[in-house]
Amino acid sequence: MSDDLKTLDDLKSAVTPVADEAPAREPVRDALGRAYATGKRKDAIARVWIKPGSGKVTVNGKEMSVYFARPVLQMILRQPFQVAGVVDQFDVMATVVGGGLSGQAGAVKHGISKALQLYDPSLRAALKAAGFLTRDSRVVERKKYGKAKARRSFQFSKR
């Protein structure tokens, strides 16, 4: 092969071009115009539906500010919208089970991010760059036998 190719231009002409772009993603919506996704964090699992609206967020039938009373948890839920640049453009309805409030907020955030990118695939790049589409796989380590907790040993005494 090196015998008949003398220059870089010869090599470029010999190589067949590969498809430049991947096929465009299609929006995934149900009959009511909603996008659905499941978000997970620690032991919490959130089922999230988003649809165009005024920015109302409902979690387990309650307003976001009632269910997640701490401002930090409310900020976590707003992050995907701010990164995607669609603040107050979507209504969210989420049901969450398992875990504590912090894990539940992370699960809803993960679900919102996945649902946003399904509703509008052009938002995927911003959400992926922010790391919101990746499931945070950190969970509590199990307790081992012969230990007080997962890693902590019992107090050592010589006598």
Side-chain angles (χ1 to χ4, degrees):
M1 178 164 173
S2 61
D3 300 335
D4 46 24
L5 297 176
K6 303 278 187 218
T7 65
L8 188 58
D9 293 328
D10 293 340
L11 180 63
K12 285 181 184 176
S13 63
V15 174
T16 58
V18 181
D20 292 341
E21 297 180 19
R25 292 178 184 265
E26 292 293 322
V28 180
R29 300 179 192 147
D30 64 5
L32 300 174
R34 303 175 302 181
Y36 168 79
T38 304
K40 296 182 181 182
R41 170 81 171 95
K42 293 187 178 181
D43 277 338
I45 300 171
R47 298 181 301 160
V48 179
W49 291 266
I50 65 164
K51 64 180 180 179
S54 60
K56 180 181 170 192
V57 179
T58 308
V59 181
N60 288 352
K62 299 179 182 177
E63 277 295 318
M64 173 183 66
S65 57
V66 174
Y67 193 84
F68 294 115
R70 285 188 281 168
V72 173
L73 300 179
Q74 295 174 25
M75 179 199 69
I76 287 173
L77 261 62
R78 284 191 288 267
Q79 283 179 337
F81 298 113
Q82 292 169 346
V83 166
V86 291
V87 178
D88 294 336
Q89 292 182 19
F90 289 96
D91 287 343
V92 177
M93 204 281 285
T95 57
V96 181
V97 292
L101 283 178
S102 177
Q104 287 184 352
V108 173
K109 170 184 162 183
H110 185 226
I112 289 172
S113 302
K114 286 172 63 175
L116 276 173
Q117 68 102 20
L118 287 173
Y119 189 88
D120 185 3
S122 65
L123 302 176
R124 180 176 169 82
L127 293 167
K128 188 155 179 67
F132 293 164
L133 297 179
T134 305
R135 190 236 198 265
D136 190 352
S137 60
R138 296 176 295 170
V139 293
V140 177
E141 189 174 345
R142 78 170 191 87
K143 183 195 176 301
K144 278 68 164 200
Y145 59 87
K147 298 280 187 178
K149 292 168 56 175
R151 297 185 181 206
R152 193 201 183 293
S153 298
F154 296 108
Q155 181 173 343
F156 177 77
S157 175
K158 224 171 202 177
R159 34 182 151 165

